[in-house]
Each structure stands twice: as structure tokens, then as C-alpha cells.
Amino acid sequence: MPGDLVHLSPSERRERLKAVYEQARVCRDCGLAETRTTVVFGSGNADAALMFVGEAPGRTEDERGVPFVGQAGQLLEQLLEEIGLTRADVFIANTLKCRPPGNRDPHPHELQACQHYLFAQIELIEPTVVATLGNFATKLLRGDPTGITRIHGQAEERLIGPRRVRLYPLLHPAAALYTRSMVDVLREDFARLPALLALGPPVQPGPPAQRDPPAADLAADVEGQLDLF
Ligand code: SF4
């Protein structure tokens, strides 16, 4: 499911994402570097039109280096399957790339320190739809404190960095795991995703910004963790 406005070739996109990953892999810009096992950069289709942004890695994700591989990930995969998609069609990332101890909430200074990785991912992947999962991703990308329960399922156009996207807030699958009514709400919101994707990308604000590759070493082999299809 390639994005409609592609400004980078697939190989350029992957090279630049790998460069950002190389920066994140050794990042010590906040205290979570002291307690993480693995930096969980993100995984999926680098050409995806649909990108999910969750909160932060949990214990399983921290161990395996891949986002949404625990129970919440299984629910996400099930909901994707119900609209005819798989993980291979989408890209999944988090606001924080390292696990907060005990799965506590992200701290503002951690979000501040880490957000440039997420913004780089969105800029390089060029998704049509960015689905934010839960409060932290929604508030960060909307730049607004409105809670997810008020705005889930309501798509809006937002400028994120140089790119205008269709931002689509959703409940976090982890919050819905043990509450049937929340799963039903999530399922209803997921059901609108195909129509949202079919709209294509919003009109962009102008010529694409010059995208300079991050200054990391492009030569390093990161295929093992950066699971790009
Ligand atoms: S959470 Fe983000 S800013 Fe903090 S150490 Fe990990 S990658 Fe760096």
C-alpha cells in the first residue's frame, strides 16, 4: 500500500530511515537509556500510506525490539485483519523509543527529547493517514491537550513537520484489552480507516521541503531490527 505522494525513491527512503535508526539505536538523550534493553524504533512498511503511533514500548517490546508485539499488538493485528490489512501494509512506531520503567507514563521531558525521531519517521515515510493510539500520541501530534475519549474516530488534517496528513485519533488497544465496549468502539473507528485512506493525501502546503539525510553513518547494517519490508 504505497503512499500517493512519494518524494523519495523506496531505496532513498530506507537509507534515510536506517540513518535515523542508527541515531536512535545509541541515543542517550533522556534517562530511559539507563533502563531500556532495546531501542524500539518502529517496524513495518516504509512506503505505508497508514502509520500508527502508540505510546511507548512495554516489556515484551523492550525485550524484542519491535513495537506492539504483546497482547495489545495482537488486538491491533486482529483489527487490521478485519479491514483487510496486515502489519506488512502499515508502519508502527511509538512516541518514545525506549520503555519507561514499569510501563509508567512518559514524562514531558522524555517526549520532548524523543519526538524528533517520530517526526523524522513521518517525514520520510510520507503516510496519508497517521492514526494515533491513545492520549500521548494524540496530544503530541495534535499539539493540544484534548483527551482521546473526546476526539477518537474524528479525522482532521494536520501539518506535521513539512507534511500535511490525515490525523486519526484512536483509543489505545492496551486500554481496550479488557473492556469489551472499548473494543467495539475501536472496531467502529477502524472500520472508517479504508474510506479515509481512499481519500488520498491532503493537499500539501507547498513544494516538498528539502530533505537532508541525517548525519548518521549510512553504512551500518541495521536490517535485524529495522524490519522494513
Ligand atoms: S526514549 Fe528517545 S530520547 Fe530517550 S534515550 Fe530513548 S531514543 Fe533517546
Side-chain angles (χ1 to χ4, degrees):
M1 193 193 336
D4 292 327
L5 288 182
V6 176
H7 304 121
L8 298 170
S9 72
S11 61
E12 282 177 323
R13 188 192 314 279
R14 283 161 178 76
E15 282 305 305
R16 294 192 189 188
L17 276 170
K18 286 176 186 174
V20 179
Y21 167 75
E22 277 302 303
Q23 291 182 319
R25 189 175 65 86
V26 295
C27 179
R28 307 195 69 81
D29 288 350
C30 82
L32 298 181
E34 305 299 325
T35 51
R36 73 184 179 217
T37 304
T38 314
V39 172
V40 183
F41 182 67
S43 73
N45 185 343
D47 305 314
L50 173 58
M51 182 169 171
F52 288 95
V53 182
E55 183 176 313
R59 185 175 62 186
T60 312
E61 289 79 10
D62 178 59
E63 290 168 357
R64 294 178 52 184
V66 180
F68 283 88
V69 288
Q71 283 184 295
Q74 289 171 15
L75 176 56
L76 181 66
E77 287 181 25
Q78 180 191 329
L79 292 165
L80 278 173
E81 195 176 318
E82 289 174 10
I83 58 170
L85 297 174
T86 70
R87 281 182 78 112
D89 296 313
V90 305
F91 195 92
I92 306 174
N94 283 309
T95 57
L96 293 182
K97 309 308 185 196
C98 303
R99 182 195 182 205
N103 293 351
R104 65 157 169 75
D105 286 347
H107 290 164
H109 71 274
E110 294 163 350
L111 292 166
Q112 175 75 27
C114 206
Q115 64 184 4
H116 67 97
Y117 294 120
L118 176 61
F119 292 151
Q121 287 172 312
I122 294 170
E123 181 177 353
L124 293 172
I125 293 168
E126 300 179 297
T128 296
V129 175
V130 176
T132 51
L133 300 170
N135 263 322
F136 283 94
T138 301
K139 290 178 181 179
L140 180 70
L141 293 186
R142 293 185 79 245
D144 181 292
T146 308
I148 188 68
T149 51
R150 281 187 53 198
I151 55 170
H152 70 84
Q154 299 172 38
E156 61 184 324
E157 292 186 16
R158 284 272 169 170
L159 193 63
I160 301 178
R163 185 165 181 81
R164 187 170 289 278
V165 302
R166 301 189 188 281
L167 194 74
Y168 192 51
L170 296 168
L171 300 180
H172 196 291
L177 270 180
Y178 305 107
T179 310
R180 176 75 202 191
S181 60
M182 289 179 76
V183 175
D184 291 342
V185 170
L186 202 45
R187 179 171 282 119
E188 284 171 21
D189 289 347
F190 259 71
R192 295 192 201 99
L193 273 169
L196 199 54
L197 287 163
L199 293 175
V203 174
Q204 297 301 309
Q210 183 66 39
R211 292 177 169 84
D212 295 327
D217 177 12
L218 288 170
D221 176 14
V222 296
E223 292 292 347
Q225 164 137 2
L226 188 60
D227 184 20
L228 301 174
F229 291 88

